[in-house]
Amino acid sequence: MKQSKMLIPTLREMPSDAQVISHALLVRAGYVRQVSAGIYAYLPLANRVLEKLKTIMREEFEEIGAVELLAPTLLTADLWRQSGRYDTYGEDLYKLKNRDQSDFILGPTHEETMTALIRDEITSYKKLPLNIYQIASKYRDEKRPRYGLLRGREFIMKDGYSFHANYDSLDETYEDYKHAYERIFTRAGLEFKGIIGDGGAMGGKDSQEFMAVTADRTDLDKWVVLSKNIESIDELPQTTLEDIQAELSAWLTAGEDTIVYAEGGDYAANIEMASSLFEKTASYTEELELEKVATPNVKTIDEVAEFLDIDPMTTIKTLVYNADDQLVVVLLRGNDQLNEVKLTNFLGANFLEAASEEDVEKLIGAHFGSLGPVGLKDIKIIADREVELVKNAVLGANEDGFHYINANAGRDFQVSEYVDLRTVNEGEVSPDGRGTLKFAKGIEIGHIFKLGTRYSDSMGANVLDQNGKSMPIIMGCYGIGVSRLLSAVLEQFARIYVEKTPKGEFKYSWSINFPKELAPYDIHLVPVNTKDEAAMALTQELEDKLRAKGYQVLVDDRNERAGVKFADSDLIGLPVRVTIGKKAAEGIVEVKIRATSEVIEINKDELVNTIEILNK
């Protein structure tokens, strides 16, 4: 492919509106362009990477018996009304009307569509299991799209769905997808973790997320690639090091999720689902007499602890939430933070938000900072399991400016149930007791769910079992964020390349170090002077040889200055650059390996063998 025929609009500077390096490089290197907020065009280079990702997926899904189809994006709202999600999905759902004023949506996901297709075509358990998937655009009306492809209004997704007559069959397919995802992300060259995840709006039960780990910017050995005339980072002047560190820290660490994993163990979970070790021990502490004490202008846990000169862990915090229009009281120990996802899942709520202070005052008669469970009636009280360990607790007295001391559950207030509701902290012990918890940022790139009969029940998707009895189809759901993968790859493979000029100056710039399976082309042929007949003839000869060996080759045939060509080549980030320069008449070319910045001169007849050796 000739570069003069390609649309690769590189920029001299980073885009001013980018906050993460993947977004900045995708725009600057001419891979994508924003059409409107949260909506991007994938230019030729990006499209080639996406197609390579899709090819990897199709190969792996074929191995597990998944069959590809393509469903419509424009969907009748009636399908979503059948499942109940039309009214509960939220404001992110694109809703529209046709000329007949019928309601439609733009699909953010396709559980309803696929369920309806199977419901209308499959009537017997003998036709199950079925395993189908598609790779298509999805739509979500993000209030504040950001970070380029990581949070957009239109995105490319692979969504798969399996249909079963029994749960054993679902379990087998779920495991097949798990292993297929692991192979896909490994082939893509990604560092990833499979973690315990939340089913969220999908309605999943058992679920696992796959997260691309986004390392922080402090490890210079990871982020900096030195040219071969620089022996080590220690050779860089202090001012250059400081400039590079400032450049690294200028970009946000991408990843909307926090991964919690056990250092020294196997445990890994999304922070929304993560737990730590809990050991319930018998308490022989004497229960003291309940007493109300004045605590003027004292509201927070820390203020209460300081005022009463007590350990914050002897206090109980009282929160009030609105869950599906029902108020519920939630108790936490000390400064523990409520994990709203855990609370939502425990309650099985479609809607959850903190109650307003006005509603709380009507219910309890006190304002925030003075709330407590003592004396509360006709309202559900649930508590984090850590609360059960607190004896003679300090908590709000439901009267502004007063707290109770020596409050004890069972005697002074009743708890409906103790469950894990808190957000874990770094350094706590893993729930399996093996290792301590560490946090890392991550980009969600895949998610698998066991949906069970969530959609078949609501949409009437039934088959006849072996006894002729009607039964709901059991389902699984399996997604990969295809366009998000492109950003995740750049977040992990962006690098700062440092060169030392002949004058002894140090220069650095961002570039992409694509893994070879995903690079839009394998090799970049760069003739320095397109008016040099010998150089252009050699370029054509090398292109023919490389293509004959199966390599994908991009030839920079533009009539541009050498500096422009090299700068664009560095931005594009192909694994190998072959420069055809002044020694073309002698059959000598220069080969540069992107991953290491190594540069070697070789004879044209050695090029193919050299590249094959380097690839191994």
Side-chain angles (χ1 to χ4, degrees):
M1 173 57 69
K2 302 296 189 285
Q3 199 163 332
S4 62
K5 306 295 185 183
M6 293 280 284
L7 177 61
I8 311 176
T10 58
L11 303 176
R12 295 183 65 183
E13 304 291 339
M14 292 293 201
S16 59
D17 60 337
Q19 295 178 289
V20 296
I21 194 60
S22 58
H23 181 199
L25 284 176
L26 283 170
V27 173
R28 188 181 177 193
Y31 279 74
V32 303
R33 282 296 181 269
Q34 181 172 283
V35 176
S36 62
I39 301 175
Y40 287 82
Y42 304 95
L43 302 186
L45 291 178
N47 190 58
R48 289 181 68 88
V49 179
L50 292 174
E51 288 303 314
K52 290 189 174 186
L53 284 167
K54 293 176 187 178
T55 297
I56 292 172
M57 293 179 201
R58 288 175 174 129
E59 290 172 355
E60 295 298 341
F61 295 145
E62 187 169 339
E63 289 295 316
I64 64 170
V67 181
E68 186 174 8
L69 53 71
L70 187 60
T73 294
L74 183 64
L75 305 172
T76 173
D78 291 342
L79 283 176
W80 279 56
R81 289 192 176 106
Q82 291 174 26
S83 71
R85 285 206 297 177
Y86 186 75
D87 296 317
T88 62
Y89 192 85
E91 295 181 350
D92 287 352
L93 186 64
Y94 275 107
K95 298 180 178 181
L96 59 152
K97 293 180 181 292
N98 67 3
R99 68 181 65 193
D100 298 322
Q101 298 303 300
S102 299
D103 292 324
F104 284 81
I105 66 164
L106 293 179
T109 182
H110 276 66
E111 284 80 7
E112 287 84 355
T113 308
M114 300 299 188
T115 302
L117 286 172
I118 299 303
R119 176 194 64 193
D120 297 341
E121 302 298 332
I122 303 299
T123 58
S124 170
Y125 78 98
K126 295 179 180 179
K127 298 291 184 69
L128 301 177
L130 280 175
N131 187 355
I132 57 179
Y133 75 95
Q134 65 170 340
I135 301 175
S137 291
K138 300 288 190 290
Y139 298 87
R140 182 174 54 211
D141 192 7
E142 286 282 351
K143 183 177 182 180
R144 190 165 63 91
R146 57 197 182 276
Y147 309 145
L149 305 183
L150 289 176
R151 188 158 291 277
R153 290 179 170 142
E154 180 185 64
F155 51 98
I156 302 172
M157 182 178 174
K158 170 264 159 184
D159 51 324
Y161 307 87
S162 63
F163 303 85
H164 309 267
N166 58 68
Y167 281 96
D168 287 341
S169 175
L170 171 60
D171 292 344
E172 290 176 8
T173 300
Y174 184 89
E175 287 299 311
D176 285 343
Y177 265 105
K178 175 184 174 182
H179 297 310
Y181 276 32
E182 291 170 346
R183 292 191 297 271
I184 288 167
F185 300 139
T186 298
R187 288 179 61 180
L190 287 166
E191 179 188 352
F192 68 95
K193 287 184 179 292
I195 66 174
I196 300 168
D198 171 44
M202 300 295 190
K205 296 180 181 177
D206 292 344
S207 84
Q208 184 169 8
E209 296 176 8
F210 294 85
M211 309 292 291
V213 179
T214 50
D216 63 33
R217 311 295 195 214
T218 58
D219 184 359
L220 293 184
D221 289 332
K222 173 180 175 60
W223 292 102
V224 175
V225 178
L226 303 174
S227 62
K228 288 305 174 183
N229 60 349
I230 305 174
E231 292 185 3
S232 71
I233 285 181
D234 295 336
E235 188 179 334
L236 301 183
Q238 185 61 32
T239 54
T240 303
L241 274 175
E242 291 174 354
D243 289 345
I244 290 173
Q245 289 167 333
E247 176 63 25
L248 286 166
S249 62
W251 301 98
L252 296 178
T253 301
E256 69 279 19
D257 291 309
T258 298
I259 303 168
V260 179
Y261 66 96
E263 190 174 45
D266 298 325
Y267 179 78
N270 190 305
I271 194 167
E272 295 173 335
M273 302 296 289
S275 296
S276 56
L277 184 66
F278 175 76
E279 295 178 316
K280 185 177 178 181
T281 57
S283 174
Y284 302 101
T285 302
E286 179 185 357
E287 293 186 358
L288 303 178
E289 185 177 350
L290 184 68
E291 181 181 348
K292 183 190 290 187
V293 297
T295 51
N297 300 316
V298 172
K299 294 184 178 181
T300 69
I301 293 296
D302 288 337
E303 289 171 348
V304 170
E306 182 180 1
F307 183 83
L308 297 176
D309 192 23
I310 58 172
D311 184 343
M313 295 303 287
T314 64
T315 67
I316 293 176
K317 176 168 50 182
T318 301
L319 305 175
V320 183
Y321 270 78
N322 183 343
D324 293 339
D325 295 325
Q326 294 292 321
L327 293 181
V328 58
V329 170
V330 181
L331 306 181
L332 294 166
R333 184 179 188 178
N335 277 314
D336 281 348
Q337 298 300 307
L338 174 66
N339 186 318
E340 291 188 357
V341 171
K342 290 181 180 179
L343 178 61
T344 301
N345 291 341
F346 170 72
L347 296 174
N350 292 313
F351 170 82
L352 180 80
E353 69 173 1
S356 68
E357 191 160 18
E358 180 181 359
D359 288 341
V360 170
E361 186 182 9
K362 288 180 181 178
L363 174 72
I364 297 178
H367 294 89
F368 293 154
S370 299
L371 306 180
V374 177
L376 293 186
K377 297 180 179 179
D378 301 324
I379 186 169
K380 186 173 187 177
I381 301 175
I382 59 176
D384 179 72
R385 58 191 182 181
E386 291 282 341
V387 170
E388 196 170 6
L389 304 179
V390 184
K391 298 298 180 182
N392 299 318
V394 173
L395 42 75
N398 295 330
E399 181 179 347
D400 290 345
F402 288 88
H403 279 73
Y404 283 120
I405 62 173
N406 303 327
N408 288 282
R411 184 193 70 181
D412 304 309
F413 61 92
Q414 303 299 320
V415 174
S416 299
E417 195 162 355
Y418 292 95
V419 291
D420 178 17
L421 295 175
R422 63 188 289 272
T423 299
V424 300
N425 296 308
E426 199 165 10
E428 294 176 1
V429 179
S430 171
D432 59 11
R434 298 198 297 268
T436 56
L437 298 182
K438 300 282 287 184
F439 289 1
K441 283 289 187 181
I443 298 170
E444 184 181 343
I445 51 177
H447 207 158
I448 58 177
F449 309 82
K450 292 181 182 179
L451 295 176
T453 59
R454 157 72 174 85
Y455 292 92
S456 50
D457 280 338
S458 59
M459 298 183 68
N462 300 316
V463 293
L464 297 179
D465 65 13
Q466 58 267 42
N467 298 317
K469 182 180 178 181
S470 180
M471 58 162 283
I473 298 173
I474 298 165
M475 291 176 58
C477 174
Y478 319 92
I480 290 179
V482 181
S483 48
R484 290 172 68 86
L485 270 176
L486 180 54
S487 282
V489 168
L490 263 71
E491 285 293 329
Q492 291 192 359
F493 287 92
R495 295 292 184 271
I496 287 183
Y497 287 80
V498 184
E499 295 184 348
K500 186 178 181 180
T501 68
K503 294 182 179 181
E505 298 175 337
F506 293 89
K507 295 185 177 181
Y508 63 88
S509 61
W510 279 102
S511 185
I512 306 167
N513 174 31
F514 266 112
K516 64 180 182 179
E517 279 218 54
L518 299 185
Y521 292 90
D522 301 315
I523 299 166
H524 203 177
L525 290 183
V526 182
V528 174
N529 183 2
T530 56
K531 296 180 181 179
D532 183 336
E533 292 182 3
M536 295 310 293
L538 180 55
T539 300
Q540 186 63 56
E541 179 186 343
L542 295 177
E543 181 185 7
D544 292 343
K545 285 184 177 180
L546 291 167
R547 290 184 62 193
K549 288 291 185 178
Y551 291 107
Q552 297 172 347
V553 183
L554 178 65
V555 180
D556 190 349
D557 62 331
R558 300 173 300 162
N559 184 22
E560 292 281 3
R561 292 181 292 107
V564 172
K565 289 190 170 190
F566 292 151
D568 283 352
S569 180
D570 288 341
L571 276 175
I572 291 170
L574 304 185
V576 177
R577 182 173 80 200
V578 180
T579 302
I580 302 94
K582 294 179 180 180
K583 296 183 180 180
E586 305 170 38
I588 303 298
V589 296
E590 179 185 273
V591 178
K592 183 174 183 178
I593 311 305
R594 166 112 325 248
T596 62
S597 271
E598 183 176 1
V599 178
I600 55 176
E601 278 193 350
I602 60 172
N603 186 278
K604 65 175 185 177
D605 296 328
E606 301 171 355
L607 179 61
V608 173
N609 287 337
T610 299
I611 290 175
E612 288 179 352
I613 292 170
L614 291 171
N615 279 336
K616 291 178 182 177

